Amino acid sequence: MGRLTRPEGLAVGERVRFDGQIRLVLAVSGRAVTLSDMDGTPRPVPPAMLFADDDFEVVDSSGRMPRPPVSLLETLPQATLEKALWWEGHILEVLSGLPPDAGAGTELKPQYGPSRSLTARERAKAVELTAAGHRVSASTVANYRRRYETSGVMGLVDHRPVRKTPKYGTVNDVVVAAMSQAISEATDASTRTGTFLLWRTEQILKAASEDREVKLPSRRTLYRLLDKLTAGTHTTGSATTRRSRAHGATAPFGELPAFAPGEVMQIDSTPLDVLVRLDDGVAGTVELTGMIDVATRTVTAAVLRPTTKAVDASVLLARTVTPELMRPGWVDALRMSRSVLPHRRLLTLDERLEHAAARPVIVPEMIVCDHGKAFMSRNFLASCRFLQIDLQPAHKGSPFEKGHIEKTLASVGTLFTQFLPGFTGRTTEHRGRHLDKQPLWSLPELQELLDEWIVAKWQNREHDGLRDPTAPGRMFTPNEKYATLVEACGYVPVALAGDDYVELLPSLWRVVNDYGIKIKRRTYDSPALTGLRRQHSGIQAKKGLWEVHHDPYDISRIWVRDHRAGSGWIEATWKHLHRVPVPFGELAWDHVAQGLPQATEEEIADAVAALLAKAHAGPDQPAGKKRTARDKRVAARTRATSTPAPAEPTPTEADPSGQDSEPLAEVIPLGLFDPFEDPWRRV
């Protein structure tokens, strides 16, 4: 009797090798282990006899050889593969009694019959191979058999010809560590070339190995090592991408699924590639801050400011959750009632939608943003808590987590900004000359232009990310997708009330004078302010001033809190609002509600072309006509002569008729001195 090999445990259903065959354990008791037999009759075996058998072992419960990885077999050298397949044939003969290429009716060789133990069959195979000229021992055959049962054909492969070399070859580990440190130091630094990184590697080695000298490999080897260590890191490429890769999220990429409007929204800011005329008359750049709904790709609000602040983010949020009302000069085709949006159903929830433009009102459930100061400020966080919005900051250095808003803001430059005068291009390499000499839009005018372009163009533009899953060939517009999701998920937007919107706006403290309230050289007044003029507000901490809320992106009106009457608001309008020009052309929609007048594709195409032409011409310019230097001089002289003329002189005694005998010289009056005018401007 052989050696006794007792397993840690034996359970019903396991497969064991006993008496040269693979058998199934049918029952286990203290006196016997019942095994299956080839003739179908269960065979009880005492545990002592079972464990003492030379072939006994617990095998895999599947009882099958692993499937050979065909793709890996194709990478092996031909000689190595042929040797592995040659061994497979002999091992299969040891296990089953027949070689794999045996024909039908082939009889088993006596030395490989089922009555012989596995050890005896392995000895017989060793004798057979040795007689054929292959010196093989029984232990070698047993080793190959175990490897084959564990790993299949790959277990029989001689890995010496295909052995993998070290990742960094024969380069010293100290050199690899020094170069890795140099690459790590370059993550947040300015981009440098590989020559600097090799020099920095040498400096690190000298500082770390003062007591012993480390021999550096050749220059070519160092460059090969640098290529391996910097693969995918953009160490000598884009600094923005390098920092994003280094500090971004390490988890697998993914995005939050959005199946309803407002479920996931994204907000971000970016510099706008265009010059504008600021309040002080100086040409400067502005930042665009926008919010987009992921499910519908709707741009719910977009605002322009010289520098994005926390209060601007709060105003953007307020605009998102309130209807976009029709503005003076906007044609009737821009109304929500003429769009594909479910206007009639929503009108029963909010009467303000009767005069709303065709931009969906979407209340966010979650807002994804970066770690900018404007979005992490106390003001914006308080606004989100007030509206019960979940604010989800993205990982630092991971702009891909809010890729929708990143792509949308970039599309504004492609689809809209490049048509404006003063367009600067993406970089200084794309910038033109004398941009500040062009007729630039002011910040309020450009804001009005952008608002109309979003409503007229963006919301009616087919988006590649809004394809129908059942018909991928069809794309939806943001307005169409919104209407579709409302029908599918029953989304009901609850727009922000007017008082709530005013509460989110930034506040100022001003005196209510006889003429009204002055903010940045603009005067606002209302008959309802009569009882507040030159009166103390009752707020001692503010020295009797009155609380005024204003929308930085809408200068047409302000709101004054009536502290004496409680928390009510008094709306005051700009005195010169009627003198503001309307900088827009006529636009139309390509999708309208059933039963209402429809706008053709030609009409909307002509309207968009007119809008872009007017935007390109600049303020106070006819579309398609550029002011020449002579036109500027004529306009300057016209402004100069528009001042009140002096009284005519009384006739002198020398000339009673009041007529001079000599013709008078032409008088060119001088204009009034303007302290805010550019002194270097040539007329």
Side-chain angles (χ1 to χ4, degrees):
M1 184 171 291
R3 57 186 177 84
L4 185 64
T5 57
R6 183 184 298 274
E8 296 181 359
L10 195 61
V12 176
E14 290 185 329
R15 293 181 179 270
V16 297
R17 178 178 284 109
F18 174 71
D19 197 15
Q21 297 295 329
I22 301 295
R23 305 174 188 273
L24 181 64
V25 178
L26 302 178
V28 178
S29 65
R31 295 184 178 182
V33 177
T34 305
L35 304 175
S36 62
D37 203 351
M38 296 183 62
D39 58 1
T41 303
R43 178 182 176 183
V45 180
M49 180 184 299
L50 179 66
F51 299 150
D53 187 78
D54 293 337
D55 297 337
F56 173 78
E57 64 177 338
V58 179
V59 298
D60 182 53
S61 60
S62 63
R64 298 178 180 175
M65 301 301 159
R67 185 179 183 275
V70 179
S71 57
L72 294 181
L73 292 177
E74 295 175 352
T75 64
L76 298 175
Q78 186 63 26
T80 303
L81 178 60
E82 291 178 355
K83 184 177 180 181
L85 296 177
W86 177 81
W87 266 112
E88 182 185 27
H90 292 289
I91 296 301
L92 288 176
E93 188 174 12
V94 171
L95 293 174
S96 61
L98 290 175
D101 55 351
T106 304
E107 296 182 359
L108 297 176
K109 295 181 180 179
Q111 62 270 32
Y112 303 121
S115 59
R116 295 179 61 87
S117 66
L118 184 60
T119 303
R121 282 178 276 169
E122 291 171 350
R123 294 195 191 100
K125 176 57 67 175
V127 172
E128 177 185 338
L129 292 178
T130 302
H134 306 282
R135 298 186 59 180
V136 176
S137 63
S139 61
T140 301
V141 176
N143 183 34
Y144 273 104
R145 188 261 307 167
R146 286 189 292 268
R147 287 163 54 182
Y148 182 72
E149 290 179 333
T150 303
S151 305
V153 180
M154 291 300 296
L156 305 177
V157 173
D158 184 2
H159 292 280
R160 288 175 296 179
V162 292
R163 185 169 296 168
K164 296 181 180 179
T165 58
K167 185 176 182 180
Y168 302 115
T170 59
V171 180
N172 194 325
D173 293 340
V174 178
V175 178
V176 175
M179 186 172 291
S180 299
Q181 180 180 344
I183 295 172
S184 177
E185 294 175 353
T187 300
D188 296 321
S190 300
T191 301
R192 292 182 171 89
T193 62
T195 304
F196 171 83
L197 294 175
L198 297 188
W199 172 85
R200 179 57 184 155
T201 301
E202 295 179 5
Q203 298 300 314
I204 294 174
L205 285 174
K206 291 180 181 179
S209 307
E210 296 179 354
D211 54 341
R212 58 186 180 89
E213 183 178 356
V214 178
K215 184 177 180 181
L216 288 174
S218 65
R219 201 75 172 175
R220 182 173 297 180
T221 302
L222 288 175
Y223 272 111
R224 286 197 298 265
L225 177 62
L226 181 64
D227 291 339
K228 292 180 180 179
L229 293 176
T230 59
T233 62
H234 293 263
T235 301
T236 57
S238 170
T240 303
T241 306
R242 177 173 65 251
R243 291 191 293 269
S244 177
R245 291 289 184 88
H247 304 306
T250 57
F253 290 2
E255 63 179 20
L256 295 173
F259 303 102
E263 190 173 0
V264 179
M265 302 186 72
Q266 297 177 358
I267 186 173
D268 197 16
S269 299
T270 187
L272 197 65
D273 301 329
V274 66
L275 294 179
V276 299
R277 190 70 63 187
L278 302 176
D279 292 342
D280 53 4
V282 176
T285 58
V286 294
E287 288 187 359
L288 170 64
T289 304
M291 184 178 295
I292 188 174
D293 175 52
V294 175
T296 64
R297 301 300 197 275
T298 294
V299 177
T300 57
V303 294
L304 301 173
R305 294 295 288 171
T307 302
T308 302
K309 299 180 180 179
V311 66
D312 301 322
S314 298
V315 173
L316 184 74
L317 181 59
R319 284 196 160 196
T320 296
V321 296
T322 52
E324 179 74 61
L325 299 181
M326 292 289 294
R327 304 182 187 179
W330 286 19
V331 296
D332 189 67
L334 299 181
R335 294 183 177 275
M336 182 182 291
S337 58
R338 295 196 58 190
S339 70
V340 72
L341 299 175
H343 173 261
R344 296 177 181 176
R345 178 189 305 177
L346 300 177
L347 186 60
T348 59
L349 303 176
D350 194 339
E351 296 180 355
R352 293 174 297 174
L353 297 179
E354 181 179 359
H355 305 289
R359 190 211 71 187
V361 179
I362 301 178
V363 179
E365 297 181 12
M366 175 187 293
I367 296 179
V368 179
C369 62
D370 56 22
H371 291 261
K373 294 183 179 180
F375 309 127
M376 293 290 102
S377 64
R378 182 177 60 182
N379 195 329
F380 187 66
L381 294 176
S383 299
C384 291
R385 286 194 298 268
F386 171 74
L387 297 175
Q388 298 181 352
I389 297 173
D390 182 15
L391 188 64
Q392 182 64 50
H395 293 87
K396 291 185 178 181
S398 303
F400 56 85
E401 294 185 344
K402 50 183 181 62
H404 297 297
I405 186 65
E406 296 275 355
K407 182 62 176 178
T408 298
L409 297 182
S411 298
V412 172
T414 304
L415 302 174
F416 173 69
T417 310
Q418 65 174 337
F419 294 94
L420 300 173
F423 176 63
T424 60
R426 300 190 305 272
T427 61
T428 55
E429 185 179 6
H430 299 84
R431 185 165 299 177
R433 302 176 61 188
H434 309 301
L435 301 180
D436 56 339
K437 304 299 182 182
Q438 298 180 5
L440 304 178
W441 293 101
S442 66
L443 189 58
E445 290 172 335
L446 187 58
Q447 180 67 60
E448 289 275 345
L449 200 63
L450 176 62
D451 291 340
E452 185 176 5
W453 179 84
I454 290 175
V455 174
K457 180 64 176 179
W458 181 268
Q459 291 299 120
N460 294 279
R461 175 178 174 266
E462 292 183 344
H463 200 289
D464 186 65
L466 300 178
R467 293 185 179 273
D468 187 354
T470 59
R474 181 189 177 187
M475 294 186 295
F476 286 97
T477 67
N479 280 353
E480 289 177 335
K481 191 66 175 181
Y482 177 88
T484 302
L485 292 181
V486 168
E487 294 292 337
C489 62
Y491 171 76
V492 177
V494 181
L496 199 66
D499 291 347
D500 296 333
Y501 169 75
V502 175
E503 287 288 354
L504 291 176
L505 297 179
S507 62
L508 300 171
W509 293 86
R510 291 291 186 270
V511 176
V512 181
N513 294 303
D514 291 335
Y515 55 82
I517 300 173
K518 182 169 288 188
I519 298 177
K520 292 185 177 180
R521 308 192 191 110
R522 292 188 297 270
T523 303
Y524 297 85
D525 200 4
S526 171
L529 295 176
T530 302
L532 279 62
R533 303 182 193 277
R534 294 182 300 167
Q535 299 297 317
H536 195 284
S537 66
I539 307 298
Q540 296 293 340
K542 293 297 182 180
K543 299 180 180 180
L545 300 180
W546 296 86
E547 183 181 358
V548 178
H549 284 209
H550 69 105
D551 188 341
Y553 317 110
D554 184 4
I555 61 175
S556 63
R557 68 200 74 244
I558 61 174
W559 293 266
V560 183
R561 190 192 299 274
D562 189 354
H563 299 285
R564 297 179 177 179
S567 59
W569 295 96
I570 299 175
E571 181 178 320
T573 57
W574 184 23
K575 279 189 173 182
H576 302 289
L577 181 62
H578 63 282
R579 301 179 60 184
V580 178
V582 180
F584 303 132
E586 188 171 315
L587 299 175
W589 298 94
D590 57 351
H591 297 287
V592 296
Q594 185 177 2
L596 295 176
Q598 295 186 356
T600 63
E601 294 182 3
E602 291 78 7
E603 289 176 336
I604 187 61
D606 294 341
V608 172
L611 172 63
L612 295 179
K614 184 177 287 292
H616 178 70
D620 301 329
Q621 292 294 310
K625 182 179 180 180
K626 185 178 180 181
R627 294 179 64 185
T628 62
R630 182 178 181 277
D631 294 333
K632 296 179 181 179
R633 288 194 298 269
V634 172
R637 289 178 179 271
T638 302
R639 290 194 300 269
T641 57
S642 63
T643 56
E648 296 183 1
T650 58
T652 61
E653 296 180 357
D655 190 1
S657 62
Q659 297 180 355
D660 199 347
S661 59
E662 296 181 1
L664 295 176
E666 181 181 4
V667 178
I668 302 177
L670 297 176
L672 297 177
F673 173 71
D674 186 2
F676 300 100
E677 185 179 5
D678 185 3
W680 305 107
R681 183 174 63 85
R682 299 181 61 184
V683 180

